[in-house]
Short mmCIF file of all heavy atoms in Angstrom, two decimals:
data_model
loop_
_atom_site.label_atom_id
_atom_site.label_comp_id
_atom_site.label_asym_id
_atom_site.label_seq_id
_atom_site.Cartn_x
_atom_site.Cartn_y
_atom_site.Cartn_z
N LYS A 784 -70.45 11.64 74.18
CA LYS A 784 -71.68 11.06 74.25
C LYS A 784 -72.67 11.69 73.12
O LYS A 784 -73.42 11.01 72.42
CB LYS A 784 -72.41 11.10 75.68
CG LYS A 784 -71.70 10.35 76.68
CD LYS A 784 -72.34 10.60 77.97
CE LYS A 784 -71.54 9.99 79.28
NZ LYS A 784 -72.17 10.26 80.38
N ILE A 791 -74.97 7.51 65.65
CA ILE A 791 -75.90 6.53 65.60
C ILE A 791 -77.29 6.97 64.92
O ILE A 791 -77.89 6.33 64.07
CB ILE A 791 -76.36 6.00 67.01
CG1 ILE A 791 -75.18 5.29 67.69
CG2 ILE A 791 -77.63 5.13 67.08
CD1 ILE A 791 -75.30 5.06 69.20
N ILE A 815 -81.32 14.81 71.32
CA ILE A 815 -81.86 16.16 71.90
C ILE A 815 -81.78 16.14 73.45
O ILE A 815 -81.46 17.19 73.97
CB ILE A 815 -83.35 16.27 71.53
CG1 ILE A 815 -83.53 16.58 69.90
CG2 ILE A 815 -84.03 17.49 72.21
CD1 ILE A 815 -84.97 16.55 69.44
N HIS A 834 -63.92 36.44 72.67
CA HIS A 834 -64.56 37.53 71.84
C HIS A 834 -63.62 38.85 72.12
O HIS A 834 -63.15 39.15 73.19
CB HIS A 834 -66.00 37.75 72.33
CG HIS A 834 -66.91 36.67 72.09
ND1 HIS A 834 -67.56 36.48 70.97
CD2 HIS A 834 -67.36 35.74 73.01
CE1 HIS A 834 -68.30 35.43 71.08
NE2 HIS A 834 -68.25 34.92 72.28
N MET A 842 -66.73 33.16 64.50
CA MET A 842 -65.63 32.23 64.61
C MET A 842 -66.20 30.80 64.77
O MET A 842 -67.35 30.58 65.23
CB MET A 842 -64.61 32.45 65.64
CG MET A 842 -63.89 33.85 65.41
SD MET A 842 -62.67 34.11 66.70
CE MET A 842 -63.62 34.30 68.21
N THR A 849 -67.79 13.39 60.18
CA THR A 849 -67.76 12.14 59.53
C THR A 849 -68.65 12.22 58.25
O THR A 849 -69.07 13.27 57.93
CB THR A 849 -68.37 11.02 60.54
OG1 THR A 849 -69.87 11.18 60.57
CG2 THR A 849 -67.78 10.99 61.87
N ILE A 865 -75.45 35.63 61.71
CA ILE A 865 -75.33 34.68 60.55
C ILE A 865 -76.40 34.90 59.68
O ILE A 865 -77.50 34.57 60.09
CB ILE A 865 -75.06 33.25 61.15
CG1 ILE A 865 -73.93 33.11 62.18
CG2 ILE A 865 -74.92 32.23 59.97
CD1 ILE A 865 -73.73 31.68 62.69
N PRO A 871 -79.45 22.39 52.32
CA PRO A 871 -80.16 21.48 51.53
C PRO A 871 -80.08 19.96 51.87
O PRO A 871 -79.02 19.36 52.04
CB PRO A 871 -79.46 21.69 50.12
CG PRO A 871 -78.82 23.02 50.33
CD PRO A 871 -78.47 23.12 51.80
N GLN A 991 -103.26 38.45 51.75
CA GLN A 991 -103.09 36.99 51.87
C GLN A 991 -101.67 36.53 52.32
O GLN A 991 -101.55 35.66 53.29
CB GLN A 991 -103.51 36.26 50.56
CG GLN A 991 -103.26 34.73 50.54
CD GLN A 991 -103.60 34.08 49.27
OE1 GLN A 991 -103.46 34.66 48.24
NE2 GLN A 991 -103.91 32.75 49.35
N GLU A 997 -96.27 34.59 54.51
CA GLU A 997 -95.42 34.20 53.35
C GLU A 997 -94.63 35.57 53.01
O GLU A 997 -95.02 36.70 53.21
CB GLU A 997 -96.17 33.83 52.10
CG GLU A 997 -96.92 32.35 52.36
CD GLU A 997 -97.63 31.91 51.01
OE1 GLU A 997 -97.37 32.44 50.07
OE2 GLU A 997 -98.35 30.89 51.29
#
Side-chain angles (χ1 to χ4, degrees):
K784 294 174 185 177
I791 292 170
I815 291 171
H834 297 275
M842 293 183 291
T849 71
I865 297 180
Q991 182 182 17
E997 292 186 13

